Amino acid sequence: MEALKQKIIDEGKVLSNTVLKVDSFVNHQMDPILMKQIGEEFAERFKGMGITKVLTIESSGIGPALMTALEMGVPMIFARKRKSLTLTEGLITSTVRSFTKQETNEVTISRDFITEGDNVLIIDDFLAVGQAALGLIDIVKQAGANPVGVGIVIEKSFQDGHKTVKETGVKLESLAKIASLEGGKVQFVNEGDQQS
Ligand code: 5GP
């Protein structure tokens, strides 16, 4: 997705060989026009799959997930990382280790919102080692629903997440694929290259 790649080139900050900061349009300030385009792109890539719900994890996944859900005309659910005072019963929980924060969270959703027979599209801002995506796939399966797709805004293709998600058999679509962050430079995957 060219508009996203250009935004990464213009505003992304390489913090290390493994971490990209995109605080000005995804992770702190959000660019609504870009988010709308992202929603349209995901809706196009996952069309015809009978998706009934979009699932993400708080907080940075919410923007792209909501725009995708709006475009598809289905509800969006975000998994919570912290225990909620009002969300106490009928929970589905999975454990996710955060790549950037180096902490482990119990992520939860209410059983009320994803149920048997739902076809669920999982959306997240980044794919690193794949823990967040695996946790969300696990939650969908525990609900008796079908994880039919994983849509990622920025995939760091040099880390293991791509392979890990592919191994689950769930369709993976990433809008910007980064081959390397070495030397403080963002290098995108050449779209002509084969990726397993
Ligand atoms: P994973 O579970 O795939 O290892 O990591 C995905 C999660 O970690 C995403 O939800 C995202 O919030 C965060 N993350 C991973 N790598 C990066 C990165 O390079 N930059 C930012 N801003 N977040 C990242």
Side-chain angles (χ1 to χ4, degrees):
M1 191 183 158
E2 284 313 313
L4 172 62
K5 283 188 185 171
Q6 196 53 50
K7 196 83 169 168
I8 294 170
I9 292 166
D10 293 343
E11 298 183 25
K13 293 192 175 65
V14 177
L15 293 191
S16 70
N17 284 353
T18 54
V19 179
L20 176 69
K21 185 170 172 174
V22 289
D23 274 24
S24 69
F25 60 101
V26 178
N27 292 132
H28 194 16
Q29 175 171 261
M30 282 193 193
D31 179 337
I33 295 167
L34 182 67
M35 286 300 157
K36 186 166 183 296
Q37 293 169 340
I38 286 171
E40 289 164 358
E41 183 72 26
F42 279 136
E44 177 62 28
R45 292 193 190 202
F46 291 101
K47 77 172 178 213
M49 297 184 76
I51 286 158
T52 57
K53 302 276 166 67
V54 174
L55 174 66
T56 189
I57 185 165
E58 63 176 353
S59 52
S60 296
I62 293 176
L66 185 61
M67 290 311 212
T68 306
L70 176 65
E71 200 60 36
M72 292 184 143
V74 299
M76 185 277 284
I77 300 107
F78 62 92
R80 291 177 183 268
K81 286 180 186 160
R82 273 162 241 99
K83 291 241 152 52
S84 156
L85 287 178
T86 53
L87 191 65
T88 50
E89 279 172 16
L91 300 179
I92 303 172
T93 300
S94 191
T95 304
V96 171
R97 173 125 190 107
S98 162
F99 173 75
T100 42
K101 301 201 178 91
Q102 297 288 313
E103 62 186 27
T104 300
N105 291 113
E106 292 279 298
V107 299
T108 50
I109 67 157
S110 162
R111 283 196 183 273
D112 291 343
F113 302 125
I114 295 185
T115 49
E116 226 174 286
D118 265 327
N119 291 327
V120 182
L121 171 60
I122 292 162
I123 298 285
D124 205 6
D125 59 339
F126 270 90
L127 182 61
V129 296
Q131 285 298 300
L134 281 191
L136 294 176
I137 290 172
D138 178 43
I139 282 179
V140 173
K141 287 185 174 164
Q142 286 188 53
N146 316 308
V148 296
V150 173
I152 299 292
V153 179
I154 303 173
E155 172 186 303
K156 290 178 293 176
S157 307
F158 56 90
Q159 293 182 291
D160 289 342
H162 179 95
K163 187 167 165 275
T164 303
V165 173
K166 283 290 207 184
E167 278 170 2
T168 66
V170 178
K171 177 182 162 86
L172 171 64
E173 288 285 340
S174 304
L175 304 187
K177 293 183 182 172
I178 295 176
S180 159
L181 293 173
E182 275 173 39
K185 243 185 93 61
V186 178
Q187 206 97 48
F188 291 102
V189 170
N190 185 340
E191 292 298 339
D193 289 354
Q194 280 296 330
Q195 209 185 354
S196 58

